[in-house]
Amino acid sequence: MRRRTALWIAVGALVLAGAGVGTAALLRHSGPALPATVLDVPAFPSPGATAPSAFPAVEVALRPGQSFGIRYTVPDYPEQWSIGTAEDAAVLERGKSITVQQSPKGNVGGSSSHVQVYRALRPGTTRIVWTLACGSQVSPCHSTETYDVTVSAGS
């Protein structure tokens, strides 16, 4: 009898733990739907880096009405990416930034994760440049990430 009771307690604990994981996942992102394509900005260069970073350009292909996102992190220290806007706003518009994961309040060293959404408006090409803003590094850094976006006329 004790074994059976212990078994049911263990099964119940696993079910509750699984429900907690599912709930935690929903709480992390319960807002607007993310685009099907989400890219990441590169990791920060090492503190004190003096040479410009050599991040390769990223190519994105869309059709009018389609969207893509760029995932970025907002840390609690000064170095962070400045969100870029399309050079040709008639081809691509910058939409809302969606919070994916919020840093807990009072958490020192925490950060939050977001996805900046862009939507294709009409056929053409444009470029988005994100710039790394270096606030407290020993030497200034001039890091950029470039996204070359082509919007085709296809249906």
Side-chain angles (χ1 to χ4, degrees), residues 36-101:
T37 301
V38 176
L39 308 169
D40 292 300
V41 289
F44 297 133
S46 60
T50 56
S53 63
F55 299 132
V58 177
E59 294 185 14
V60 180
L62 299 171
R63 290 185 175 12
Q66 289 183 322
S67 297
F68 80 100
I70 299 175
R71 184 183 352 259
Y72 63 101
T73 299
V74 177
D76 68 350
Y77 51 87
E79 289 76 29
Q80 57 185 304
W81 286 99
S82 296
I83 297 172
T85 301
E87 291 175 355
D88 187 346
V91 173
L92 191 73
E93 73 176 345
R94 187 172 98 182
K96 292 186 176 185
S97 178
I98 300 170
T99 301
V100 178
Q101 184 175 8

Side-chain angles (χ1 to χ4, degrees), residues 71-136:
R71 184 183 352 259
Y72 63 101
T73 299
V74 177
D76 68 350
Y77 51 87
E79 289 76 29
Q80 57 185 304
W81 286 99
S82 296
I83 297 172
T85 301
E87 291 175 355
D88 187 346
V91 173
L92 191 73
E93 73 176 345
R94 187 172 98 182
K96 292 186 176 185
S97 178
I98 300 170
T99 301
V100 178
Q101 184 175 8
Q102 188 67 41
S103 176
K105 292 185 186 214
N107 183 15
V108 177
S111 59
S112 56
S113 177
H114 307 272
V115 172
Q116 177 59 56
V117 178
Y118 295 89
R119 188 171 69 90
L121 299 175
R122 69 172 182 83
T125 59
T126 190
R127 173 170 279 180
I128 304 168
V129 178
W130 283 50
T131 305
L132 182 63
C134 301
S136 67

Side-chain angles (χ1 to χ4, degrees), residues 3-19:
R3 283 187 180 170
R4 188 176 296 169
T5 303
L7 176 64
W8 282 113
I9 290 172
V11 168
L14 288 173
V15 168
L16 288 175

